[in-house]
């Protein structure tokens, strides 16, 4: 079996799943997918039961760039005994969906080995502590043993190169069960007992593999994280770690005991079925080695004398150390070089978690007390998880016909086929299998939440929700709970009535909606009606769904431009006016309309407001000034809001005149609240909803309602009063926001501050009306205009619903209790938004109010009532069905960490409004420790407390949580302003899962590794300084910024090709765009930047960072696996800290 074969964890999709009666489908939805081969899911693209593994895909072995070592040849082939490693990513247990339990064929290179069919090696008397009861039957065990070698190296050849052995030069392991012999093997669980495994914690460390015939794994073996392990009770010490993969011998490091599940090797004699742990081949250099040493008969030759009797431990991971045992040979000493060139020794830098006790350390002689270190490659890698999900789930469409399916990760490109549940582009959940009782939910501490993006943009290949028109009677709804007709409603009595799937009430089917049922109880028009067969669809709303029982007018856009001294002097006013001349032709419009129905108006302001009459019959625009800002009114009705095409010449004339009129202004003070009031009054007078686009530059200190003072105070950081920095300084804006929501007046705010502006207060109205804030600190025309204009264009053109109300209904047993996002709530159930655009999400938390049943599952229905940009009143409905479980293991197997982090970040960012930041941070750490401790206690098999065991689909929870804790809101560095923190806090609160994913763990791409001939992005690398090489150029993006980092030793030719200058010193770090040069490298890098810009909802600022330059400090802030300047822990240290917290909870 493959060395990094995953434990088999449950039946493949095509077989009935235990506990889910009746789901027996060939593919996902009960119907075979058109154009997809029938046998598509073995274990998510793992091998089908009984099939030989296919040859590895060409070029699939990718390694991170390491200084000084050439990358592996891209098509390098593996020896025949090998599985292509991409076959078994964590995709097998992709996010916890059970993978195949069927026995797999071994590759031909190894002989099938059944227990008892070969002699046990003599020297292995007390090799293995068996956990738990012996296996039920030999047959059962042999199935497991052929189907799963616990990460072991069988005689089938060496592990494929590049699979996560210890030193940092190596690639992070691919599968959740680590390659056997090297650092960080994980002992995965078998499927023989209890619920299938969820824990594998990507390779934390070392357990020497058992040999395939031992009946070891009737109990699930835990996933270990480097080293946290005291000795098991077996005697003897076996090699558990390897010298560097470079082929250079490594001096002996800290000895330690074997870990549970580890074989204890006697003197290496020639044993056909027990491999004396061959060393890993060099990961980086040279061709892939052939099978080492003729099937490994006989011990590999030592290259330097072993330390007598001590086991070598992976990079000194912790574990307690024992004295030498009699009769046992020393650890395997060094790595022979199997035909691969030696690479450089691993860099010495390792992080040391001194927090973990090593009780017997004192027994060592002084020279043998090295500091604890963990290899960063031996801990779960976000890059690896993302890559595995892409390769396992990116090729097949995600068909939504089955209840409780965990979708592919947000980082995977996949197509969605709606067959009854809403697409994950609209709704993602923290778990797709929720506990049946509130006690179980409390015990696990996993929050049950959905991140809903009701108007999400779909890729062109996917169908937009159908619009259903039921005429004057409107949509069919349940009489009691008012849920809308959906695929889960049950028709009874021959189709004359239906039973509500949310509240079980029976409702008469209206005569016009009646249809007969077929022999299965489905209506015969099932496939003709979107609301019966699809998860997402729209209804045309009747007049009963409209304000004051009359249909709405089309919305209006009002542009309100600050013309104070700063705005004029920086060139901003002229820039806005120039852009609006062309942008007004691109206002959003309904599908096939020739022109937009949206009307526009214009206001300029400083200490007073100027309204403009741009009626089409005028030759020149007229200006009216309102200087009584304390009592705001709109001085004209007719001619303020106009149709762009009718008034085109007057508008163009106005936009030419504004920059000239204010060119010599000396007015530096501004007002702010009266500007919003003016826009609100204009929309009221026009009896329509709409959006205000406000371009504002300074703290509003002029005498007027909503006047603010500068209250910025860095001294409050880390005190109990820090929370006041996030709160508005006056309640005036909250009341104004409430009036705006009532009218459907949404506010988008473009800020251009040169100093403190009080975003926490100015943003209140934007935030509560569902608007967006954009901030351009120290705005300079030459560097910032691209970003501002792109943001403005997108903001004006994007799809938006006005006067929106959203309600989330749930089936009996759970209810929506808490909401996060940019909106206003006047009661406990309705989320009200003056405007809701295609980028905004609303996060909803659910709590139990009764028991749920495994049979019926749980249902959510999100209903959004809104006015389209053409003035049409619509209802958009999204439905989602989830599974329910009585076993905690099922909950942990169906969680989605990215969504969980999205929820936790929003929860924490709201927490800072009312609690000291330290309290919020501690609560986050505590909740995550409880989630993981509950898993450890209830789902993982018994093992020593020294092991950190993580659920497979939550193995990235610690690294991502650490990123949230280190973010500017919760742990600001000295250079982060109060306004930045308030801005980020508001931004994150309405981000979707894809945006929080890249925001907290940025994407880092080695540009010099990009293939200029293909469209593909280069493979991402982990966010740590030790992954950067001085001779390369890297790109880092987090959704707000793009950094291009240039190493000091980059070849002159590359610098010339990318920047058009001849040396490193000539590169300008003030560039805001890359120069357009006619060469393949320049084209490729610019196309990558463009590709990333298109994927994000905001235009990212491009920043050029030269190594050892002052900007490098800013860049390093985003290398989130390292320690941060503001005191944030490195990933390794945080993992140790989490482990300590978990142990405390368990003890």
């Amino acid at each position: 079996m493959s060395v990094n074969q995953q434990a088999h964890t449950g039946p493949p999709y095509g077989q009935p799943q235990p506990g889910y009666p009746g789901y027996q489908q060939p593919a996902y939805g009960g119907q075979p997918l058109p154009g997809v081969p029938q046998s598509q899911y073995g274990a998510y693209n793992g091998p089908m039961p009984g099939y030989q593994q296919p040859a590895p895909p060409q070029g699939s072995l990718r390694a991170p760039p390491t200084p000084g070592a050439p990358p592996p040849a891209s098509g390098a082939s593996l020896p025949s005994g090998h599985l292509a490693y991409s076959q078994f990513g964590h995709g097998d247990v992709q996010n916890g969906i059970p993978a195949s339990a069927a026995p797999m064929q071994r590759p031909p290179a190894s002989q099938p080995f059944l227990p008892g069919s070969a002699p046990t090696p003599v020297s292995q008397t007390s090799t293995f502590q068996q956990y738990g009861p012996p296996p039920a039957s030999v047959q059962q065990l042999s199935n497991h043993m052929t189907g799963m070698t616990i990460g072991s190296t069988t005689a089938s050849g060496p592990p494929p190169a590049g699979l996560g052995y210890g030193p940092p030069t190596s690639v992070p392991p691919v599968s959740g069960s680590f390659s056997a012999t090297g650092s960080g093997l994980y002992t995965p669980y078998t499927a023989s007992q209890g619920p299938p495994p969820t824990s594998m914690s990507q390779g934390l460390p070392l357990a020497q593999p058992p040999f395939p015939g031992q009946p070891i794994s009737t109990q699930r073996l835990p996933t270990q994280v480097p080293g946290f392990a005291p000795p098991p009770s077996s005697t003897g010490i076996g090699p558990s770690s390897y010298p560097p993969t470079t082929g250079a011998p490594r001096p002996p490091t800290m000895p330690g005991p074997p870990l549970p599940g580890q074989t204890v090797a006697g003197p290496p004699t020639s044993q056909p079925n027990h491999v004396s742990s061959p060393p890993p081949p060099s990961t980086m250099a040279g061709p892939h080695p052939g099978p080492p040493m003729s099937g490994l008969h006989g011990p590999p030759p030592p290259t330097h004398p072993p330390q007598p009797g001590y086991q070598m431990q992976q990079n000194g991971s912790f574990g307690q150390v024992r004295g030498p045992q009699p009769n046992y040979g020393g650890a395997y000493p060094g790595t022979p070089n199997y035909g691969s060139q030696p690479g450089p020794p691993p860099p010495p830098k390792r992080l040391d978690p001194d927090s973990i006790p090593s009780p017997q350390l004192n027994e060592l002689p002084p020279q043998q007390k090295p500091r604890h270190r963990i290899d960063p490659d031996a801990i779960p890698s976000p890059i690896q998880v993302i890559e595995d999900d892409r390769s396992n789930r990116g090729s097949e469409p995600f068909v939504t016909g089955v209840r409780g399916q965990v979708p592919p990760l947000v980082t995977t490109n996949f197509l969605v086929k709606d067959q009854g549940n809403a697409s994950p582009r609209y709704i993602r959940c923290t778990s797709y299998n929720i506990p049946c009782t509130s006690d179980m939910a409390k015990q696990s501490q996993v929050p049950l939440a959905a991140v809903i993006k009701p108007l999400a943009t779909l890729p062109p290949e996917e169908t937009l929700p159908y619009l259903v028109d039921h005429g004057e009677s409107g949509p069919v709804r349940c009489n009691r709970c008012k849920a809308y007709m959906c695929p889960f409603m049950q028709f009874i009595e021959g189709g004359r009535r239906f039973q509500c799937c949310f509240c079980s009430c029976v409702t008469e089917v209206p005569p016009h909606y009646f249809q007969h049922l077929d022999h299965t109880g489905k209506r015969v028009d099932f496939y003709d009606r979107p609301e019966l067969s699809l998860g997402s669809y729209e209804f045309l709303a009747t007049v009963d769904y409209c304000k004051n029982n009359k249909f709405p007018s089309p919305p209006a856009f009002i542009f309100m431009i600050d013309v104070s001294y700063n705005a004029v002097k920086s060139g901003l006013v002229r820039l806005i006016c120039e852009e609006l001349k062309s942008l007004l032709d691109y206002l959003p419009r309904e599908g096939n309309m020739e022109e937009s129905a949206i009307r526009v108006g214009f206001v300029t302001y400083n200490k007073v407001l100027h309204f403009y009459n741009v009626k089409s019959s005028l030759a020149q625009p007229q200006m009216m000034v309102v200087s009584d800002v304390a009592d705001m009114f709109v001085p004209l009705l007719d001619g303020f809001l106009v149709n762009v095409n009718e008034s085109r010449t007057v508008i163009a004339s106005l936009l030419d005149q504004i920059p000239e009129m204010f060119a010599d202004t000396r007015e530096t003070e501004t007002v702010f609240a009266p500007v919003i009031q003016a826009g609100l009054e204009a929309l009221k007078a026009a009896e329509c909803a709409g959006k205000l686009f406000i371009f504002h530059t300074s703290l509003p200190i002029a005498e007027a309602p909503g006047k603010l003072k500068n209250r910025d105070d860095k001294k409050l950081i880390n005190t109990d009063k820090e929370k006041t920095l996030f709160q508005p300084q006056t309640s005036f804006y909250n009341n104004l926001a409430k009036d705006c929501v009532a009218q459907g007046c949404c506010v988008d705010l473009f800020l251009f501050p040169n100093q403190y502006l009080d975003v926490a207060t100015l943003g209140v109205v934007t935030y509560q009306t569902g608007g967006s804030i954009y901030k351009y600190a120290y705005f300079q025309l030459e560097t910032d205009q691209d970003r501002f204009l792109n943001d403005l264009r997108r903001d004006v053109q994007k799809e938006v619903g006005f006067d929106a109300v959203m309600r989330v209904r749930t089936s009996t047993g759970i209810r929506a209790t808490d909401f996060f996002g940019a909106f206003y709530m006047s009661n406990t159930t309705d989320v009200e938004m003056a405007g809701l655009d295609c980028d905004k999400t609303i996060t909803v938390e659910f709590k139990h109010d009764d028991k749920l049943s495994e049979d019926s599952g749980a249902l959510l229905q999100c209903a959004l009532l809104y006015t389209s940009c053409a003035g049409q009143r619509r209802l958009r409905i999204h439905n989602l069905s989830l599974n329910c479980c009585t076993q905690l293991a099922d909950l942990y197997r169906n969680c989605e960490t990215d969504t969980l982090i999205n929820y936790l970040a929003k929860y924490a960012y709201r927490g800072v409004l009312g609690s000291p930041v330290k309290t919020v941070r501690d609560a986050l750490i505590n909740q995550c420790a409880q989630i993981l401790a509950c898993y450890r206690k209830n789902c993982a098999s018994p093992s020593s407390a020294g092991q950190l065991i993580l659920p497979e689909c939550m193995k990235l929870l610690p690294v991502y949580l650490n990123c949230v804790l280190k973010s500017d809101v919760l742990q600001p560095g000295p250079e982060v302003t109060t306004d930045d923190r308030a801005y980020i806090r508001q931004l994150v609160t309405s981000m979707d899962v894809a945006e929080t994913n890249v925001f907290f763990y940025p994407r880092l791409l080695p540009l010099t590794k990009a293939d200029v001939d293909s469209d593909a992005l280069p493979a991402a690398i982990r966010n740590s300084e030790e992954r950067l090489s001085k001779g390369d150029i890297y790109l880092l993006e987090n959704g707000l910024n793009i950094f291009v980092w240039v190493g000091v030793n980059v070849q002159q030719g590359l610098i010339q090709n990318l920047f058009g200058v001849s040396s490193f010193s000539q590169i300008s770090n003030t560039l805001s765009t890359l120069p357009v040069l006619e060469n393949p490298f320049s084209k490729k890098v610019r196309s990558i930047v463009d590709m990333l810009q298109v994927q994000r909802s905001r235009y990212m600022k491009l920043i050029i960072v030269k190594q050892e330059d002052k900007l490098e400090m800013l860049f390093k802030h985003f290398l989130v696996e390292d320690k941060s300047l503001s005191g944030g822990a490195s990933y390794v240290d945080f993992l140790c800290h989490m482990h300590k917290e978990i142990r405390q909870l368990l003890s």
Side-chain angles (χ1 to χ4, degrees):
M1 202 56 216
S2 150
V3 280
N4 59 326
Q5 161 79 297
Q6 177 91 36
H8 290 209
T9 56
Y13 259 19
Q15 301 177 5
Q17 306 222 7
Y20 310 144
Y23 277 177
Q24 190 161 0
Q25 53 273 354
Y28 281 118
Q31 307 86 14
L33 302 181
V36 177
Q38 193 59 36
S39 66
Q40 84 231 63
Y41 294 106
Y44 274 110
N45 300 350
M48 287 300 293
Y51 273 52
Q52 293 298 358
Q53 276 298 88
Q58 287 296 301
S60 64
L61 300 174
R62 278 223 186 97
T66 42
S74 68
S77 62
L78 296 172
S80 60
H82 272 313
L83 301 189
Y85 80 82
S86 60
Q87 289 300 63
F88 281 99
H90 332 287
D92 295 33
V93 246
Q94 176 48 42
N95 279 344
I97 289 185
S100 162
M104 302 281 184
Q105 298 294 55
R106 290 216 187 163
S110 68
Q111 296 302 310
F113 174 75
L114 298 176
S117 67
T120 314
V122 191
S123 63
Q124 301 300 107
T125 44
S126 62
T127 45
F128 230 88
Q129 278 312 104
Q130 185 171 327
Y131 289 135
S137 73
V138 171
Q139 181 52 47
Q140 176 194 11
L141 185 74
S142 69
N143 284 353
H144 286 128
M145 296 321 302
T146 43
M148 177 201 97
T149 309
I150 310 241
S152 86
T153 331
T154 61
S156 62
L163 282 194
Y165 289 87
T169 49
S170 68
V171 185
V174 191
S175 79
S177 73
F178 263 26
S179 10
T181 46
S183 73
L185 154 70
Y186 263 23
T187 39
Y189 296 171
T190 66
S192 61
Q193 14 25 265
T198 41
S199 123
M200 311 293 296
S201 127
Q202 164 166 346
L204 294 163
L206 323 239
Q208 176 73 11
F211 38 96
Q214 277 296 80
I216 52 160
S217 58
T218 46
Q219 264 297 15
R220 301 191 286 171
L221 293 176
T223 328
Q224 312 153 287
V225 174
F228 309 125
S233 49
S234 65
T235 52
I237 294 204
S240 86
S241 80
Y242 275 89
T245 56
T246 54
R250 172 201 277 181
T253 46
M254 173 175 142
L259 301 167
Q262 171 176 317
T263 52
V264 183
T269 50
S270 162
Q271 302 155 352
N273 278 308
H274 168 63
V275 176
S276 207
S277 1
S282 154
T283 24
M284 302 311 295
H288 295 287
M293 313 185 58
S294 66
L296 296 162
H297 288 272
T303 50
H304 67 122
Q307 179 95 15
Y310 279 108
Q311 159 205 13
M312 305 228 300
Q313 191 113 13
Q314 156 67 36
N315 280 327
S317 11
F318 0 113
Q320 298 132 355
V321 180
R322 295 192 159 183
Q325 303 288 324
N327 303 330
Y328 282 94
Y332 173 62
T335 319
N337 233 333
Y338 292 130
S340 52
Q341 292 86 40
K349 177 183 173 204
R350 279 289 177 285
L351 302 154
D352 37 279
D354 281 324
S355 50
I356 307 278
S358 278
Q360 289 104 331
L361 205 57
N362 305 331
E363 301 162 17
L364 282 178
Q367 72 277 17
Q368 286 173 305
K369 288 188 194 171
R371 288 163 67 78
H372 294 315
R373 289 182 309 215
I374 296 183
D375 178 357
D377 277 328
I379 53 182
S381 155
I383 305 302
Q384 197 56 59
V385 172
I386 288 168
E387 279 302 314
D388 289 340
D389 193 71
R390 278 188 187 139
S391 58
N392 289 315
R393 305 199 64 184
S395 51
E396 302 295 344
F398 178 71
V399 183
T400 71
V402 181
R403 183 173 84 186
Q405 279 184 106
V406 182
L409 299 180
V410 283
T411 43
T412 298
N413 274 329
F414 59 100
L415 274 182
V416 179
K417 292 197 174 167
D418 185 340
Q419 288 191 0
N421 283 294
S423 159
R425 302 189 205 288
Y426 295 124
I427 307 183
R428 278 188 177 264
C429 295
T430 52
S431 179
Y432 288 79
N433 200 332
I434 60 181
C436 283
T437 64
S438 60
D439 290 348
M440 204 173 143
K442 284 195 188 93
Q443 188 186 354
S444 73
Q445 287 286 316
V446 175
L448 306 174
V451 179
I452 306 174
K453 195 176 184 182
L455 298 179
T457 313
L458 298 183
E461 312 85 276
E462 292 177 20
T463 322
L464 291 168
Y466 290 101
L467 182 60
V468 179
D469 183 359
H470 282 314
E472 295 198 355
S473 58
V476 178
R477 304 176 67 176
C478 166
N479 271 345
R480 183 199 288 159
C481 70
K482 299 289 182 261
Y484 294 86
M485 179 53 65
C486 72
F488 312 118
M489 298 289 190
Q490 192 66 46
F491 287 88
I492 53 175
E493 295 176 26
R496 286 190 294 280
R497 298 169 147 206
F498 68 89
Q499 182 169 29
C500 178
C501 50
F502 294 96
C503 71
S504 304
C505 172
V506 174
T507 301
E508 294 284 330
V509 173
H512 71 89
Y513 199 70
F514 174 78
Q515 187 53 272
H516 295 284
L517 308 184
D518 67 10
H519 64 286
T520 64
K522 263 185 186 169
R523 286 173 50 128
V524 295
D525 62 353
F526 176 81
Y527 289 108
D528 304 330
R529 291 194 177 272
E531 73 274 22
L532 298 181
S533 53
L534 298 176
S536 301
Y537 42 87
E538 295 201 307
F539 290 121
L540 208 52
T542 58
V543 75
D544 308 335
Y545 292 88
C546 303
K547 246 186 220 165
N548 310 326
N549 278 16
K550 62 179 199 185
F551 284 112
S553 312
F557 281 0
I558 304 176
F559 297 91
M560 315 184 90
I561 305 167
D562 174 346
V563 288
S564 64
Y565 177 73
N566 275 345
V568 174
K569 185 190 67 174
S570 65
L572 181 63
V573 173
R574 187 174 298 281
L575 183 68
I576 293 169
C577 292
E578 279 303 313
E579 179 61 28
L580 286 179
K581 284 185 211 169
S582 55
L583 188 53
L584 294 176
D585 288 333
Y586 296 97
L587 298 176
R589 56 172 180 247
E590 213 64 77
N592 48 7
M593 292 171 56
E594 300 229 333
E595 63 173 53
S596 175
I598 293 172
R599 289 169 298 161
V600 297
F602 302 90
V603 172
T604 55
Y605 67 94
N606 38 45
K607 266 184 8 184
V608 297
L609 275 75
H610 323 107
F611 293 80
Y612 298 92
N613 183 345
V614 282
K615 198 173 176 179
S616 56
S617 55
L618 296 174
Q620 283 294 321
Q622 297 171 346
M623 173 161 123
M624 300 183 185
V625 180
V626 176
S627 51
D628 183 6
V629 289
D631 185 17
M632 201 21 91
F633 68 99
V634 179
L636 73 163
L637 285 181
D638 191 30
F640 179 63
L641 294 178
V642 297
N643 174 295
V644 174
N645 279 341
E646 289 169 13
S647 298
R648 183 175 298 281
T649 51
V650 193
I651 291 173
S653 169
L654 170 67
L655 294 172
D656 282 335
Q657 290 176 37
I658 287 175
E660 306 310 323
M661 272 191 292
F662 298 101
D664 301 323
T665 184
R666 286 279 162 265
E667 185 52 75
T668 55
E669 293 189 352
T670 57
V671 296
F672 184 71
V675 181
I676 297 175
Q677 287 170 325
L680 173 61
E681 293 304 322
L683 294 177
K684 271 187 188 162
E687 296 187 346
C688 68
K691 187 182 262 200
L692 312 182
F693 295 83
I694 303 180
F695 304 92
H696 189 77
T697 59
S698 58
L699 190 70
I701 53 173
E703 213 40 72
K707 170 186 173 181
L708 301 179
K709 58 181 191 295
N710 185 339
R711 56 164 185 162
D712 188 17
D713 187 358
K714 282 273 180 93
K715 292 195 204 69
L716 297 180
I717 292 180
N718 295 329
T719 69
D720 284 354
K721 289 199 175 149
E722 184 171 4
K723 59 185 182 228
T724 59
L725 297 175
F726 296 110
Q727 299 164 353
Q729 57 172 287
T730 156
S731 62
F732 182 86
Y733 288 94
N734 293 68
N735 299 328
L736 182 54
K738 188 173 163 184
D739 297 341
C740 287
V741 173
Q743 182 54 42
C745 168
C746 175
V747 179
D748 278 0
L749 190 52
F750 292 82
L751 296 173
F752 305 87
N754 289 334
Q755 56 201 29
Y756 179 70
L757 191 73
D758 204 347
V759 173
T761 306
L762 297 189
V764 166
V765 178
T766 297
Y767 185 63
Q768 294 192 14
T769 57
S772 306
I773 301 186
Y774 299 87
K775 180 166 158 290
Y776 311 89
Y778 307 107
F779 178 82
Q780 288 179 308
L781 220 51
E782 55 279 9
T783 54
D784 296 314
Q785 78 168 22
D786 268 358
R787 183 164 61 111
F788 163 57
L789 293 179
N790 275 291
D791 283 342
L792 176 59
R793 285 167 197 154
R794 187 180 151 94
D795 198 59
V796 167
Q797 294 172 44
K798 67 183 168 190
E799 182 188 356
V800 58
F802 294 96
D803 239 334
V805 183
M806 185 182 103
R807 183 176 280 195
V808 178
R809 293 179 173 83
T810 52
S811 51
T812 313
I814 52 170
R815 62 195 169 87
T817 55
D818 209 351
F819 301 85
F820 304 82
F823 52 74
Y824 174 78
M825 290 187 82
S826 55
N827 58 32
T828 56
T829 54
D830 295 337
V831 174
E832 299 173 52
M833 293 154 290
L836 171 69
D837 64 48
C838 55
D839 298 321
K840 295 280 183 303
T841 61
I842 294 94
T843 302
V844 186
E845 186 181 8
F846 303 98
K847 289 258 177 12
H848 287 75
D849 57 6
D850 203 347
K851 283 201 172 72
L852 293 163
S853 91
E854 281 187 282
D855 297 338
S856 52
L859 302 173
L860 321 176
Q861 184 178 76
C862 159
L864 176 79
L865 175 65
Y866 71 99
T867 302
S868 75
C869 56
Q872 200 177 49
R873 200 71 177 146
R874 293 182 178 181
L875 282 151
R876 180 169 286 203
I877 313 294
H878 297 298
N879 303 289
L880 186 63
S881 60
L882 302 172
N883 287 325
C884 297
C885 57
T886 52
Q887 298 294 323
L888 283 165
D890 291 326
L891 162 71
Y892 284 102
R893 197 178 300 116
N894 291 280
C895 287
E896 226 230 342
T897 301
D898 292 321
T899 310
L900 189 58
I901 288 291
N902 180 287
Y903 164 84
L904 290 171
K906 291 172 181 178
Y907 183 78
Y909 281 17
R910 185 177 69 184
V912 297
L913 292 172
S915 309
V917 173
K918 182 174 184 328
T919 311
V920 173
R921 290 164 49 83
D922 292 346
L924 265 186
I925 293 173
N926 184 43
Q927 181 170 5
C928 288
Q930 285 189 312
I931 291 172
L932 297 173
C934 171
Y935 173 79
R936 173 64 193 263
K937 185 175 168 197
N938 299 288
C939 309
S941 55
S943 59
S944 74
Q947 287 174 318
L948 171 55
I949 300 187
L950 302 169
E952 172 60 13
C953 59
M954 281 193 191
K955 64 187 175 197
L956 298 181
L957 187 61
V959 62
Y960 286 162
L961 178 70
N962 190 34
C963 297
V964 174
L965 294 170
K966 293 203 292 192
S967 64
D968 290 339
V969 174
L970 298 180
Q971 194 161 35
E975 71 299 331
V976 179
T977 67
T978 305
D979 274 344
D980 286 334
R981 296 177 74 195
Y983 173 61
I984 296 295
R985 195 190 77 76
Q986 293 197 7
L987 217 52
V988 168
T989 308
S990 47
M991 276 185 183
D992 70 11
V993 180
E995 288 171 318
T996 49
N997 173 276
V998 77
F999 179 76
F1000 289 115
Y1001 192 94
R1003 176 148 63 160
L1004 183 58
L1005 305 173
L1007 294 179
T1008 23
K1009 301 281 185 288
D1011 177 358
V1012 292
D1013 300 321
S1014 93
D1015 293 339
L1017 290 172
I1021 59 172
R1022 292 172 66 172
N1023 284 194
S1024 170
E1025 195 178 345
E1026 62 180 49
R1027 310 272 165 181
L1028 303 179
S1029 141
K1030 290 183 173 186
D1032 286 320
I1033 301 175
Y1034 298 86
L1035 179 149
L1036 181 144
E1037 63 127 356
N1038 72 340
L1040 296 183
N1041 298 307
I1042 290 181
F1043 293 92
V1044 173
W1045 182 90
V1046 187
V1048 286
N1049 298 346
V1050 173
Q1051 293 167 7
Q1052 204 172 334
L1054 284 175
I1055 290 175
Q1056 183 72 53
N1057 283 345
L1058 189 56
F1059 300 104
V1061 295
S1062 56
S1063 72
F1064 178 81
S1065 58
Q1066 291 173 307
I1067 300 170
S1068 160
N1069 53 15
T1070 57
L1071 290 175
S1072 59
T1073 50
L1074 291 169
V1076 177
L1077 302 171
E1078 285 304 311
N1079 66 70
F1081 185 58
S1082 173
K1083 284 179 184 164
K1084 176 66 181 174
V1085 172
R1086 283 180 290 115
S1087 81
I1088 290 175
V1089 170
D1090 293 344
M1091 193 173 5
L1092 299 180
Q1093 293 286 20
V1094 171
Q1095 289 174 10
R1096 305 291 169 217
S1097 61
R1098 290 167 182 253
Y1099 194 83
M1100 296 180 281
K1101 179 178 187 173
L1102 183 77
I1103 301 169
I1104 308 291
V1105 178
K1106 292 155 72 176
Q1107 188 178 1
E1108 295 163 11
D1109 186 50
K1110 57 181 185 299
L1111 272 174
E1112 203 183 17
M1113 298 313 277
L1114 178 62
F1115 173 76
K1116 285 181 180 172
H1117 176 65
F1118 296 99
L1119 298 177
V1120 290
E1121 289 196 20
D1122 298 340
K1123 279 194 171 72
S1124 71
L1125 288 172
S1126 50
S1130 69
Y1131 174 20
V1132 171
D1133 291 350
F1134 184 70
L1135 199 58
C1136 298
H1137 178 68
M1138 281 302 284
H1139 185 226
K1140 210 163 85 180
E1141 294 282 320
I1142 293 166
R1143 287 176 71 169
Q1144 275 174 346
L1145 287 170
L1146 291 175
S1147 59

